[in-house]
Structures are given as structure tokens and as C-alpha cells.
Amino acid sequence: MFSLIWTALGMIIVPVAGFFLSKIYIFEGLFDYDDGGFPAAFVAVFLIHVVMVGYACVAWMEGREPPLKQD
């Protein structure tokens, strides 16, 4: 349940922050594009996929824990 909460927050915060940070500092600042919103959207889509793959890996590893041995 804890990983689900962190993933939900990550799916909101990471792509939005990635969009605006890459738009302002990379595409409009460094590369001097007039409108860096279109390439920054690709960054946001990439980041949302990174968060989802990370959650899938964590969920898969949680299911593989060995059962506790009872004496």
C-alpha cells in the first residue's frame, strides 16, 4: 500500500515538474526555442513511463518474497 501511495504521488509530481523544468531551463533556455512545450511533453511522457516501470518492478519484487517460516 505504501508503494502505491508513493507511485500515485510520483505520477502527478514527476511528469509535471519534468515538463516545466525541461520547458523553461532546457528547451527555452538552453536551446532557445520559442515554444518548448511540444518537446517538453515528450519528456513528461518519458518520465511517466519511468514511474510506471518503477512501480511494476517494485510490485513484482513484493510478490516474490519468500513466505515466513513458522516454528
Side-chain angles (χ1 to χ4, degrees):
M1 184 69 172
F2 184 69
S3 62
L4 182 63
I5 293 170
W6 280 110
T7 303
L9 289 173
M11 289 180 73
I12 295 169
I13 295 170
V14 170
V16 171
F19 174 82
F20 285 110
L21 290 174
S22 65
K23 179 180 184 290
I24 293 168
Y25 293 112
I26 295 174
F27 297 113
E28 290 178 357
L30 186 64
F31 295 134
D32 201 31
Y33 287 162
D34 291 332
D35 182 22
F38 187 72
F42 285 110
V43 172
V45 168
F46 174 75
L47 290 174
I48 195 73
H49 282 86
V50 169
V51 171
M52 289 190 305
V53 167
Y55 176 71
C57 290
V58 168
W60 184 60
M61 296 303 274
E62 280 182 357
R64 298 191 65 189
E65 293 177 358
L68 296 174
K69 185 176 180 181
Q70 294 180 353
D71 291 334

